[in-house]
């Protein structure tokens, strides 16, 4: 008869089958224990990774435009084409004299186009000659003065068409971008620190960040439109989204 396993006098008698079963059971038990530890450690690390806060930072700078552009459009209409052309030439001379009197260099004002159109009504043909000039200058103060005195052209017989208004642009955005991004990031960290303070934590390193678009708008609202110049005073704005780790 084969020996059997039994508890006898505190002694555990083992046969080969029992030993294999026991060994398998121990391996499974140890495996489950190890898996439980790794799972728990992984959850702990995942929880720590989730300890972060995402905030937005804002930076705004008031700037003054460094480029003024003015597209000046004017026209003359007559039943005689030569008369309409002559009137446009006189208007062109008057406009050139106007800007010369304000101290603009000759090359600040350039022709950008001209066209002639006609229509016939009741057997009479009307000719319209249209001319466009463009002023481009970095002298913002002088450009503002020109806008303030633009109705002097009316006294010279020049009638500007709708849309002939000054526009101001800020072209040095790249010069202030780094400073503004840094400022927006500091603003975001300040917001993160307030969140962290409320939760009893500290703010760590930046985990990731996204820079928003830069916008340039009139500082005091949109003042553009016919007869009124755009404002040379601008507000540059950028918003960044930053994810900070919490400690």
């Amino acid at each position: 008869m084969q020996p059997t396993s039994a508890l006898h006098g505190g002694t555990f008698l083992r046969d080969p089958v029992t030993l294999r079963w026991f060994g398998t059971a121990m391996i499974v038990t140890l495996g489950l224990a190890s898996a439980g530890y790794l799972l728990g450690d992984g959850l702990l690390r995942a929880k720590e990774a989730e300890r972060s806060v995402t905030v937005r930072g804002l930076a705004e700078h008031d700037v003054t435009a460094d480029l003024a552009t003015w597209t000046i459009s004017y026209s003359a209409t007559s039943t005689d084409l030569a008369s309409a052309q002559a009137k446009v030439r006189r208007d062109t001379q008057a406009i050139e004299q106007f800007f010369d009197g304000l101290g603009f260099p000759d090359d600040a004002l350039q022709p950008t186009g001209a066209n002639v159109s006609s229509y016939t009504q009741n057997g009479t043909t009307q000719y319209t000659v249209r001319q466009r000039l463009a002023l481009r200058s970095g002298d913002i103060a002088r450009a503002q003065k020109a806008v303030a005195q633009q109705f002097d052209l009316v006294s010279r017989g020049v009638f500007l068409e709708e849309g002939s208004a000054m526009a101001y642009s800020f072209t040095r955005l790249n010069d202030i971008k780094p400073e503004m991004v840094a400022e927006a990031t500091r603003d975001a960290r300040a917001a993160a620190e307030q969140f962290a303070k409320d939760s009893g934590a500290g703010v760590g390193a930046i985990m990731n960040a996204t820079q928003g678009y830069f916008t340039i708008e009139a500082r005091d609202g949109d003042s553009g439109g016919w007869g009124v110049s755009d404002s040379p005073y601008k507000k540059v704005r950028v918003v960044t989204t930053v994810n900070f780790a919490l400690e």
Side-chain angles (χ1 to χ4, degrees), residues 106-124:
D106 293 340
D107 60 355
L109 192 66
Q110 296 292 331
T112 60
N115 63 69
V116 178
S117 60
S118 65
Y119 71 94
T120 301
Q121 185 176 12
N122 299 327
T124 301

Side-chain angles (χ1 to χ4, degrees), residues 66-101:
D66 59 290
L67 176 64
T69 55
W70 190 359
T71 299
I72 302 167
S73 182
Y74 50 101
S75 63
T77 300
S78 175
T79 56
D80 178 58
L81 178 59
S83 297
Q85 290 174 323
K87 174 63 167 66
V88 167
R89 281 195 292 269
R90 290 194 299 271
D91 288 350
T92 300
Q93 292 175 350
I95 293 171
E96 290 173 344
Q97 291 171 359
F98 170 76
F99 284 105
D100 183 63

Side-chain angles (χ1 to χ4, degrees), residues 161-189:
E161 294 186 336
E162 184 175 353
S164 298
M166 186 77 77
Y168 298 96
S169 305
F170 180 69
T171 66
R172 300 194 305 270
L173 180 60
N174 286 338
D175 295 342
I176 64 174
K177 269 185 177 182
E179 178 186 353
M180 291 192 65
V181 170
E183 183 179 327
T185 302
R186 289 194 297 271
D187 184 60
R189 181 173 286 276

Side-chain angles (χ1 to χ4, degrees), residues 28-91:
V28 172
T29 301
L30 291 173
L32 290 174
S34 298
Y37 170 78
L38 293 175
L39 179 60
D41 182 62
L43 290 174
L44 177 61
R45 284 185 281 108
K47 184 177 181 180
E48 290 175 348
E50 290 173 359
R51 287 175 56 82
S52 65
V53 60
T54 300
V55 292
R56 289 185 177 180
L58 170 67
E60 291 182 330
H61 280 200
D62 289 338
V63 299
T64 301
D66 59 290
L67 176 64
T69 55
W70 190 359
T71 299
I72 302 167
S73 182
Y74 50 101
S75 63
T77 300
S78 175
T79 56
D80 178 58
L81 178 59
S83 297
Q85 290 174 323
K87 174 63 167 66
V88 167
R89 281 195 292 269
R90 290 194 299 271
D91 288 350

